[in-house]
Amino acid sequence: MTTRVLIVDDHAVVRAGLRTLLETEPDFQVVGEAADGREAVDRALSLKPDVVLMDLVMPRENGIAAIREIRSKSAGTKVIALTSFGDDSRVLEAVRAGVDGYLLKDCQADELLKALRSVASGGAHLEPDVTVALMRSMRANQRTRSQLDELTPRETEVLREIASGRSNKEIARNLGIAEKTVKTHVSSVLSKLGVLDRTQAALEAVKSGLIALG
């Protein structure tokens, strides 16, 4: 059975190399290419490939946003992230977006083909280093959630305001409390989260998924 593949990368030489590799394998058919996330979504919906090989850092629309849209509009299409970046936060973001596999571009050809075949047959594939990065990121998020659970309801309100970029004066006005009280709550939030400043507190809250901007 032939697996139909869409190749997405903003570098033409990368797309050409992947096409050449896949066209040497009788069980793969390259049905199209895309150079950015927006084009990837359009072609995925029109061509309906079995698997999309998706770069994550691209112009117009990045790979993470494209993955979310493809998975929401074409549930039967599998997606493998093929990228140069294996940092913890990016791996977790891709997994949350719905990838079925995550590979680094320096992987061997055999590893890529193995991942494609596994994902096409309903499985999943993560490189060992990527799995470690994912576990690290998940543990870090679990620690942050535990710390957020220690906040009082009022401190959580203050943290929401901080994450929205508001000053102490604005927070005091929005919550109907004294600015001095806001300062006390901010200090308590920073201490409980184990961070040094408001920016770090906001980042930890947003990354955890427990506090969303807007």
Side-chain angles (χ1 to χ4, degrees), residues 58-141:
M58 295 180 294
R60 292 183 66 195
E61 183 175 309
N62 66 41
I64 298 294
I67 291 166
R68 290 196 186 101
E69 191 168 352
I70 290 171
R71 294 312 303 266
S72 68
K73 296 180 178 179
S74 181
T77 299
K78 309 294 184 180
V79 182
I80 295 177
L82 182 63
T83 178
S84 301
F85 302 94
D87 51 285
D88 300 4
S89 59
R90 204 180 302 265
V91 172
L92 183 59
E93 195 175 10
V95 170
R96 283 176 170 168
V99 294
D100 301 279
Y102 197 112
L103 291 171
L104 299 179
K105 286 183 178 178
D106 61 0
C107 70
Q108 298 297 313
D110 288 348
E111 181 78 5
L112 174 59
L113 295 174
K114 177 182 177 182
L116 277 165
R117 292 183 176 114
S118 175
V119 167
S121 63
H125 189 98
L126 296 176
E127 283 188 359
D129 288 348
V130 169
T131 302
V132 172
L134 176 60
M135 291 175 66
R136 275 200 307 260
S137 186
M138 292 178 68
R139 283 196 295 266
N141 277 1

Side-chain angles (χ1 to χ4, degrees), residues 143-163 184-195 198 200-202 204-206 208 210-211:
R143 286 195 298 271
T144 299
R145 289 192 188 97
S146 177
Q147 292 166 326
L148 287 171
D149 287 341
E150 295 179 8
L151 301 180
T152 66
R154 176 62 86 184
E155 288 169 347
T156 300
E157 287 180 325
V158 169
L159 181 54
R160 290 182 186 277
E161 296 288 312
I162 291 173
T184 300
H185 287 316
V186 170
S187 295
S188 181
V189 167
L190 299 184
S191 176
K192 288 182 179 180
L193 293 183
V195 296
R198 302 161 71 97
Q200 290 180 9
E204 290 301 318
V206 173
S208 74
L210 296 181
I211 294 178

